[in-house]
Amino acid sequence: MKSGYKKIMLIVVLLWQVLLLAGCDYYVSEQPAQQAPVPFYNRDSRGRADTIGKLGTQSISIPAGVIDGWARYVGDPGDFADPKIKAKYQRPPESYDLPIESFGFLYRITDGDVYTSFRQTQQDYRHDNETLIPNYLPFPWADVSAYGVYGAKPLNFNAYVQIIFRSAKEVTNFDYIQQKQPLYGLTVYKANNGIDPKTSEPWKSDANTKDILLKKDQAGNIKTYINCQFTQHINSCGHMFYNDDWHIQVRMSYSRTYLPRWQEMEGRVMQILESWRVTREGKLLGKQIGKA
């Protein structure tokens, strides 16, 4: 009898401990998830918060009203991703360490300023659009996009240029020929040496025959890649370069009129980005270019 009573009491004690543990688990699971601390935001004169994150190796605070569109962070679904995926995606909390994939802005080549809404540059840009473009006059604004480069990706265009040259040979059946004379410090390549093989005259269309201009570093790596149109009313250039310190690729498009200033433009864009650098806590390291 005593033995049976002890067994019953032991079972009761064990059950009670199980219930206590279950209750503890339930209590813990019901606790609200600890929220990430809200970062400090720099703001403009209108109270608009900057866009924050880490571009390549640098924490930055981009003034409100500067970004053309929105900033894309690493891991964000693409523009054409399944809507269901977009609906389920939850971006990590914003911080000055959250890696930025890309963002774009407008830069005025003539003075190094940037377009910002609710600044004079907004009116300037509109005026230039309405008066210069319809009259085929040089447009002084460059579209700029900055891309963070993460992991072990090479910071050069070596492979990219080889693909461009190989594709030209396979698709259009001509080679890009290096020109004897550099242009503005750039090595120039022209499609079939600048001659249309069908007419034996200079190209009249640049659809697949844009001029290609390259700049290599001391190690022979291609750090700047530019291609330019040459037969349209408003000739344009597509310009890409890498910055090793920031681990970024920058892409620009602008009127070919400003091609002689390509080195200045690279330097100016980096000055703009440098002005947006902050500490990991969001403290500005200089005066932000483009701040409203």
Side-chain angles (χ1 to χ4, degrees):
M1 186 70 177
K2 288 183 180 180
S3 175
Y5 176 77
K6 288 182 179 179
K7 288 182 179 179
I8 292 173
M9 290 302 297
L10 180 61
I11 292 171
V12 170
V13 170
L14 290 173
L15 287 173
W16 179 248
Q17 290 177 340
V18 169
L19 288 172
L20 284 173
L21 289 173
C24 290
D25 290 343
Y26 175 79
Y27 178 77
V28 171
S29 65
E30 287 296 303
Q31 297 305 299
Q34 187 175 3
Q35 295 183 351
V38 178
F40 166 80
Y41 288 92
N42 295 290
R43 297 180 181 274
D44 66 8
S45 60
R46 304 175 68 89
R48 298 180 299 176
D50 287 4
T51 297
I52 68 172
K54 193 169 189 176
L55 179 65
T57 60
Q58 305 295 325
S59 295
I60 60 174
S61 185
I62 308 166
V66 165
I67 293 179
D68 183 15
W70 58 87
R72 184 185 299 281
Y73 293 85
V74 172
D76 284 359
D79 294 337
F80 303 103
D82 188 326
K84 294 181 180 178
I85 295 176
K86 288 185 176 181
K88 292 180 179 179
Y89 177 72
Q90 289 187 338
R91 180 186 293 163
E94 288 190 1
S95 74
Y96 291 96
D97 288 321
L98 186 62
I100 297 173
E101 180 181 302
S102 64
F103 65 90
F105 61 97
L106 293 165
Y107 145 67
R108 186 159 56 194
I109 301 167
T110 49
D111 67 356
D113 206 348
V114 299
Y115 172 100
T116 313
S117 59
F118 298 104
R119 283 179 72 228
Q120 180 60 41
T121 51
Q122 183 176 22
Q123 285 73 44
D124 295 345
Y125 180 77
R126 184 182 297 116
H127 176 267
D128 291 344
N129 260 297
E130 296 171 350
T131 60
L132 300 180
I133 292 179
N135 294 301
Y136 304 115
L137 296 173
F139 192 60
W141 297 86
D143 279 299
V144 182
S145 296
Y147 295 80
V149 180
Y150 305 98
K153 296 178 182 178
L155 296 172
N156 61 64
F157 297 104
N158 298 353
Y160 179 78
V161 170
Q162 292 305 311
I163 292 172
I164 294 296
F165 287 167
R166 185 168 61 248
S167 297
K169 180 68 174 178
E170 294 173 353
V171 175
T172 56
N173 210 25
F174 57 73
D175 292 305
Y176 267 90
I177 308 298
Q178 180 177 339
Q179 304 302 291
K180 293 181 179 179
Q181 295 296 325
L183 183 65
Y184 314 126
L186 296 161
T187 303
V188 183
Y189 292 81
K190 287 184 175 289
N192 200 48
N193 218 25
I195 302 298
D196 186 342
K198 294 180 180 179
T199 64
S200 297
E201 295 179 355
W203 293 101
K204 290 184 172 59
S205 170
D206 55 18
N208 295 307
T209 59
K210 295 178 181 179
D211 292 342
I212 293 177
L213 307 97
L214 308 176
K215 185 65 176 179
K216 297 180 180 180
D217 63 11
Q218 292 182 346
N221 294 309
I222 301 170
K223 306 297 286 188
T224 294
Y225 171 92
I226 303 174
N227 63 39
C228 292
Q229 297 174 327
F230 52 83
T231 62
Q232 306 301 318
H233 287 297
I234 301 179
N235 301 329
S236 65
C237 293
H239 180 163
M240 302 189 293
F241 70 92
Y242 281 103
N243 183 277
D244 291 351
D245 293 335
W246 279 62
H247 263 247
I248 59 173
Q249 181 191 115
V250 175
R251 302 177 189 178
M252 298 186 281
S253 60
Y254 49 83
S255 168
R256 185 164 180 162
T257 302
Y258 297 104
L259 179 60
R261 302 172 69 165
W262 70 272
Q263 285 180 297
E264 175 191 330
M265 286 189 277
E266 290 188 358
R268 288 278 192 151
V269 167
M270 292 311 303
Q271 285 178 9
I272 292 167
L273 295 177
E274 284 283 348
S275 79
W276 299 341
R277 284 181 60 227
V278 292
T279 65
R280 293 182 64 187
E281 295 74 34
K283 182 181 179 181
L284 295 173
L285 298 176
K287 183 179 180 180
Q288 291 172 296
I289 296 175
K291 194 74 165 185

